[in-house]
Amino acid sequence: MSEIEELNSRIMQALDRVAQGVDALGDGGESVEALKQALDEEKTVNAQLNERVRALGERQAKALEELEARAEETAGRMSKFDEDLQRLRRANGQLSEACEALRNANAEGVGEPHLINKAMMAELEALRAARTAEISQADEIIAALTPLLDANDAQTEETA
């Protein structure tokens, strides 16, 4: 009979341990729910961050496209400005040559009307080329100042 009591005692101890384990699992169930809720919150935060990254990427791509367009536009204006300066240099070279020929003719005492006409035409071309170069330069200055003025206007509107 002592074996039965001993076995009964061992069974009771085992049942106590099982009950303690079940109680521990009950407490763990609450922590599992808390962990699931925390995981869901982290998933939400992660989705929000991914959306922000996507929005920033789109904004950056748009800004890059705008900058590339402005760079291309500026390159076109600079090319035109360079052409105008080359034209001005050629016209000034022609004017210098015509003036030199006119001075030489005057030094010899021979006033040749075609040299005077040639000098006047060269001078007119030089003036036209200078005017065109000045307009190109003014356009370049305006193009450089326009974004600054737009930014200033936007800042003024924000503070108002």
Side-chain angles (χ1 to χ4, degrees):
M1 199 124 146
S2 75
E3 283 184 21
I4 291 176
E5 287 178 13
E6 185 180 326
L7 286 175
N8 190 22
S9 172
R10 287 174 73 187
I11 288 173
M12 290 303 236
Q13 289 174 355
L15 286 175
D16 286 341
R17 286 193 304 259
V18 168
Q20 289 174 355
V22 168
D23 288 342
L25 284 178
D27 293 340
E30 292 173 8
S31 66
V32 168
E33 284 300 316
L35 288 174
K36 284 182 180 179
Q37 185 178 1
L39 179 62
D40 288 341
E41 289 173 2
E42 288 300 319
K43 285 181 180 178
T44 303
V45 169
N46 191 24
Q48 289 172 349
L49 288 175
N50 284 335
E51 180 62 26
R52 286 181 187 166
V53 167
R54 186 194 59 75
L56 286 173
E58 288 175 359
R59 201 175 322 150
Q60 184 179 13
K62 184 179 176 184
L64 182 62
E65 288 175 6
E66 290 174 1
L67 287 175
E68 287 173 347
R70 286 170 66 193
E72 188 174 316
E73 180 183 322
T74 301
R77 283 194 315 268
M78 291 303 293
S79 176
K80 184 184 180 313
F81 183 61
D82 187 50
E83 290 172 9
D84 292 341
L85 285 178
Q86 294 300 324
R87 180 178 168 216
L88 178 61
R89 288 183 183 122
R90 282 191 305 273
N92 282 336
Q94 290 172 352
L95 179 59
S96 295
E97 290 172 7
C99 287
E100 180 67 27
L102 189 56
R103 275 194 301 275
N104 289 339
N106 280 339
E108 293 175 3
V110 181
E112 295 190 29
H114 78 283
L115 290 177
I116 294 171
N117 284 340
K118 187 176 176 182
M120 287 177 55
M121 295 298 286
E123 185 176 6
L124 285 173
E125 177 58 27
L127 289 172
R128 287 184 190 120
R131 173 84 171 116
T132 303
E134 289 171 354
I135 289 172
S136 293
Q137 190 175 23
D139 288 344
E140 196 61 36
I141 291 169
I142 289 170
L145 290 176
T146 300
L148 297 174
L149 293 173
D150 290 344
N152 188 32
D153 289 344
Q155 188 178 25
T156 303
E157 289 175 6
E158 287 177 5
T159 58

